[in-house]
């Protein structure tokens, strides 16, 4: 029998070990309401979080547990999704309708998120209906743990910059247009942090360096970001430290996030921050202000111009964005220590986007399938073994046929290593996002993809991210390690296209691992549709 003092010491050591071993928790309570906003000078109905538009930033550190209690004070169901947060083994928390039951009016739901092994710049947004056109979005930053080296000095300050195209019409009117089978008109303007021209100011001090986290939270347009008279050094893309390349302006496609450093080394006066649309017949432009502390000289004259319709310019810039192989990621080891280009892929999936009419109404599709949601989230149907959808309802390659409607679910084996080719035969720039994962963007080029296209892949230092662009009449290739079991949304970030069917779900699963490899659905979780009121759990 242990002496009393020794037993107490062992007990305290175990307690301390357990306390230290658990990752920190951060708690958020959000109330979602409607409110009148005036971003483009006319009143409209916006979605506010705790009275704010945009919503509050989420500040976190690698491996933090984020407990976000969301109260829905709207008069309709509501969901938040977390663009770029991987929700490891926990797709129920993903916050899209295929995985998560909506929060009913007057009710609340608590999201339990962990930013496991992640760093970088991301954002959240409302995923139901056409709420994204009303606000409800905000920035997410995940800082490295103190012991992990970051490949640049700490900046003097760190600013979230949310840019996006915007309509003067309420989101309900835009949704009605889509429900009526019509296309949306061009947006009316561009916002920076929810404000119109010169509506937002960022203050800097002469000689100091600042980090700008820029996310395109808009609905459809690629946007070019620039700061008058200042160079920008790219340092991070959606969780990957990049080679520190300097740019005069940066194309940010819909759904993408970038971190840049700027140094306040110009004349101590106010300078324009400029955001303009790319690849549009009518170029939309808005401005903010970079204010040097103590300056009394406001911005004046026309803001500096940027690229407009030049595809090659944007493609060459995209190819120049590379991973910093010597930098640490979320763990204290070089990002290049995982040799993604030396692993053989076991499957190639080609996904082609298309647009057309179904029963006289506008629809959008992937491999000819225009997604139709079911009454119950697919994740719940799968978890409770209810059925109702077919795995494999979308093919691995374009069929060449006309558009038809189905609930498209692609089956994929857990822990396989696959190649996906996004094929764009249209005249617009596309933008694609996969929930639950980051992937390596190994290649992009014009024309049709063939097996010979692999000869130009970057198999050494391609950037790893969660959202990639596909240029007109072009293709983009990605590699993915399927290490996150669950049901995950793969979608266009053009929100009208997503709403009208250009999305699918990827079910990552094998019989040998089963659904037990996922975290169980919480006992107090919201259940809806065919599984509402069930008390049983699957075996």
């Amino acid at each position: 029998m242990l002496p009393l003092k020794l037993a107490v010491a062992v007990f305290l050591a175990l307690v301390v070990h357990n306390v230290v071993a658990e990752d920190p928790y951060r708690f958020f309570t959000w109330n979602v309401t409607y409110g009148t906003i005036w971003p483009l000078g006319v009143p409209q109905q916006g979605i506010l979080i705790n009275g704010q538009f945009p919503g509050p930033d989420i500040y976190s550190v690698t491996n933090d547990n984020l407990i976000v209690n969301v109260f829905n004070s709207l008069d309709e169901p509501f969901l938040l999704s977390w663009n770029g947060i991987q929700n490891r083994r926990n797709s129920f928390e993903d916050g899209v309708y295929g995985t998560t039951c909506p929060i009913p009016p007057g009710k609340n739901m608590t999201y339990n998120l962990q930013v496991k092994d992640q760093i970088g710049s991301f954002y959240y947004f409302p995923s139901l209906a056409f709420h994204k056109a009303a606000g409800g979005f905000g920035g997410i930053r995940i800082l490295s743990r103190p012991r992990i080296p970051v490949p640049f000095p700490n900046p003097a300050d760190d600013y979230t910059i949310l840019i996006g195209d915007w309509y003067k019409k309420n989101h309900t009117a835009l949704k009605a247009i889509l429900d009526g089978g019509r296309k949306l008109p061009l947006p009316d303007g561009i916002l920076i942090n929810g404000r119109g021209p010169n509506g937002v100011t960022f203050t800097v001090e002469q000689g100091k360096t600042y980090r700008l986290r820029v996310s395109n939270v808009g609905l459809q347009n690629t946007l070019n970001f620039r700061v008058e008279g200042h160079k920008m050094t790219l340092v991070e893309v959606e969780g990957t430290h990049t080679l520190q390349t300097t740019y005069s302006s940066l194309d940010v496609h819909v759904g993408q996030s970038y971190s840049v450093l700027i140094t306040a080394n110009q004349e101590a006066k106010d300078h324009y921050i400029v955001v303009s649309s790319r690849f549009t017949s009518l170029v939309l432009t808005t401005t903010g202000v970079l204010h040097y502390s103590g300056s009394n000289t406001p911005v004046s004259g026309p803001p500096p111009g940027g690229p407009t319709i030049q595809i090659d310019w944007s493609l060459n810039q995209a190819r120049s964005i590379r991973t910093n192989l010597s930098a640490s990621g979320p763990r204290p080891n070089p990002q290049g220590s995982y040799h993604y280009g030396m692993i053989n892929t076991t499957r190639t999936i080609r996904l082609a986007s298309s647009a057309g009419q179904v029963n006289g109404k506008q629809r959008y599709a992937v491999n000819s399938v225009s997604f139709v949601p079911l009454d119950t989230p697919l994740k719940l149907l799968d978890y409770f073994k209810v059925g109702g959808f077919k795995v494999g309802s979308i093919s691995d390659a374009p069929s060449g046929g006309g558009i038809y409607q189905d609930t498209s679910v692609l089956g994929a084996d857990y822990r396989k290593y696959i190649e996906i080719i996004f094929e764009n035969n249209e005249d617009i720039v596309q933008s694609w996002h996969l929930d639950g994962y980051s992937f390596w963007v190994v290649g992009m080029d014009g024309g049709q993809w063939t097996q010979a296209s692999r000869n130009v892949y970057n198999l050494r230092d391609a950037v790893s991210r969660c959202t990639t662009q596909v240029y007109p009449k072009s293709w983009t290739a990605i590699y993915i390690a399927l290490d996150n079991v669950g049901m995950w949304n793969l979608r266009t970030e053009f929100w009208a296209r997503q709403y009208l069917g250009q999305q699918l779900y990827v079910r990552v699963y094998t019989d040998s691992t089963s659904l037990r490899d996922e975290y169980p659905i919480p006992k107090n979780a919201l259940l809806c549709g065919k599984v509402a009121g069930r008390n049983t759990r699957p075996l």
Side-chain angles (χ1 to χ4, degrees):
M1 188 170 180
L2 288 174
L4 179 59
K5 288 185 178 180
L6 179 58
V8 170
V10 170
F11 172 77
L12 290 175
L14 290 172
V15 169
V16 170
H17 172 77
N18 288 335
V19 169
V20 171
E22 188 170 14
D23 293 304
Y25 282 76
R26 297 177 187 265
F27 296 89
F28 306 85
T29 301
W30 289 354
N31 185 31
V32 180
T33 61
Y34 283 130
T36 301
I37 56 176
W38 302 68
L40 292 178
V42 297
Q44 60 187 125
Q45 186 185 62
I47 292 179
L48 315 181
I49 298 180
N50 291 351
Q52 299 178 42
F53 169 70
D57 275 5
I58 290 180
Y59 297 83
S60 60
V61 177
T62 301
N63 295 345
D64 279 356
N65 295 282
L66 309 179
I67 311 302
V68 188
N69 192 4
V70 178
F71 288 83
N72 178 16
S73 297
L74 308 182
D75 57 1
E76 57 184 325
F78 183 78
L79 268 180
L80 283 174
S81 190
W82 320 91
N83 216 67
I85 304 305
Q86 294 178 8
N87 293 309
R88 306 293 301 176
R89 298 167 53 211
N90 200 14
S91 59
F92 179 73
E93 303 288 351
D94 200 32
V96 291
Y97 185 64
T99 63
T100 311
C101 289
I103 309 170
K107 302 295 183 181
N108 72 298
M109 170 183 168
T110 300
Y111 289 90
N112 293 275
L113 314 172
Q114 187 182 25
V115 289
K116 180 69 174 174
D117 288 335
Q118 287 194 263
I119 58 170
S121 309
F122 309 98
Y123 66 91
Y124 61 86
F125 69 98
S127 63
L128 276 188
F130 213 62
H131 289 156
K132 193 180 182 188
F137 45 73
I140 302 173
R141 65 183 66 177
I142 309 174
L143 304 177
S144 297
R145 289 174 290 172
R147 69 176 72 99
I148 308 299
V150 175
F152 50 87
N154 286 333
D157 210 338
D158 192 330
Y159 291 118
T160 294
I161 301 181
L162 305 176
I163 61 177
D165 48 19
W166 193 258
Y167 288 89
K168 293 179 180 178
K169 290 181 181 292
N170 284 344
H171 74 281
T172 51
L174 298 174
K175 179 176 177 293
I177 292 173
L178 297 173
D179 290 340
R182 293 169 289 156
K183 296 181 181 180
L184 291 184
L186 292 175
D188 296 302
I190 298 171
L191 305 186
I192 302 176
N193 285 0
R195 304 294 185 268
N198 290 345
V200 62
T201 297
F202 301 92
T203 300
V204 297
E205 293 186 23
Q206 184 82 43
K208 293 186 177 181
T209 298
Y210 296 82
R211 183 172 184 170
L212 310 180
R213 299 176 187 260
V214 184
S215 294
N216 186 340
V217 299
L219 299 174
Q220 68 183 58
N221 286 125
T222 296
L223 300 176
N224 183 265
F225 179 86
R226 53 198 182 272
V227 181
E228 180 185 22
H230 293 72
K231 298 291 187 181
M232 300 181 293
T233 301
L234 184 66
V235 293
E236 177 257 329
V237 171
E238 294 162 19
T240 299
H241 287 127
T242 63
L243 291 180
Q244 295 182 14
T245 306
T246 299
Y247 301 99
S248 297
S249 69
L250 192 64
D251 275 356
V252 186
H253 303 273
V254 185
Q256 292 186 337
S257 298
Y258 291 88
S259 280
V260 298
L261 300 179
I262 66 164
T263 299
N265 55 9
Q266 300 300 304
E267 183 181 351
K269 64 175 186 177
D270 290 358
H271 298 260
Y272 283 113
I273 296 171
V274 189
V275 181
S276 58
S277 62
R278 293 279 269 122
F279 321 120
T280 55
S281 54
L282 174 65
V283 177
L284 301 173
T285 301
T286 197
T287 54
V289 177
L290 186 75
H291 171 69
Y292 275 63
S293 180
S295 164
N296 294 315
T297 306
V299 292
S300 62
T308 54
I309 60 172
Q310 303 91 333
I311 295 290
D312 287 346
W313 185 96
S314 187
L315 175 61
N316 290 333
Q317 182 179 86
R319 287 172 171 165
S320 72
I321 299 172
R322 305 292 184 92
T323 295
N324 183 343
L325 298 179
S326 63
S328 292
R331 295 173 180 267
N333 55 286
Q335 294 179 138
S337 60
Y338 184 88
H339 300 292
Y340 72 92
M342 299 176 67
I343 304 170
N344 292 327
T345 57
T346 58
R347 181 180 177 186
T348 295
I349 299 169
R350 294 167 49 215
L351 300 176
S353 60
S354 59
Q357 298 271 317
V358 177
N359 297 325
K361 292 188 174 184
Q362 183 65 44
R363 296 294 298 185
Y364 300 95
V366 186
N367 286 1
S368 298
V369 187
S370 186
F371 183 85
V372 178
L374 300 178
D375 292 338
T376 306
L378 304 178
K379 165 69 179 172
L380 294 183
L381 293 173
D382 203 29
Y383 189 88
F384 288 107
K385 303 185 186 303
V386 175
F389 67 92
K390 179 184 177 182
V391 177
S393 51
I394 182 171
S395 63
D396 278 15
S399 66
I403 293 176
Y404 64 96
Q405 294 177 284
D406 199 355
T407 304
S408 40
V409 178
L410 187 72
D413 287 338
Y414 182 46
R415 294 196 172 164
K416 295 296 184 180
Y417 192 65
I418 69 171
E419 172 188 43
I420 294 180
I421 317 298
F422 295 107
E423 299 182 353
N424 180 12
N425 297 315
E426 301 180 73
D427 292 324
I428 63 170
V429 177
Q430 298 271 21
S431 188
W432 289 94
H433 174 88
L434 175 60
D435 284 350
Y437 286 93
S438 285
F439 46 71
W440 289 273
V441 184
V442 295
M444 55 178 64
D445 207 348
Q448 291 291 321
W449 180 90
T450 67
Q451 293 190 14
S453 301
R454 296 187 179 116
N455 295 331
V456 299
Y457 282 5
N458 176 2
L459 300 181
R460 182 176 181 272
D461 60 355
V463 70
S464 176
R465 63 187 315 165
C466 58
T467 309
T468 187
Q469 70 272 32
V470 192
Y471 292 100
K473 307 292 185 183
S474 300
W475 56 267
T476 294
I478 65 174
Y479 281 178
I480 310 173
L482 296 176
D483 59 356
N484 194 10
V485 69
M487 183 80 72
W488 303 105
N489 189 225
L490 175 60
R491 63 177 178 267
T492 177
E493 289 283 21
F494 285 28
W495 217 242
R497 285 178 167 248
Q498 179 272 349
Y499 182 78
L500 293 180
Q502 202 162 85
Q503 61 172 308
L504 61 122
Y505 281 82
V506 181
R507 183 180 186 258
V508 181
Y509 166 79
T510 61
D511 290 335
S512 61
T513 57
S514 84
L515 294 173
R516 288 191 298 271
D517 282 298
E518 293 188 272
Y519 293 118
I521 292 176
K523 292 183 179 180
N524 63 346
L526 295 175
L527 298 181
C528 55
K530 291 183 179 180
V531 299
R534 291 177 64 112
N535 295 316
T536 58
R537 298 288 170 188
L539 297 177

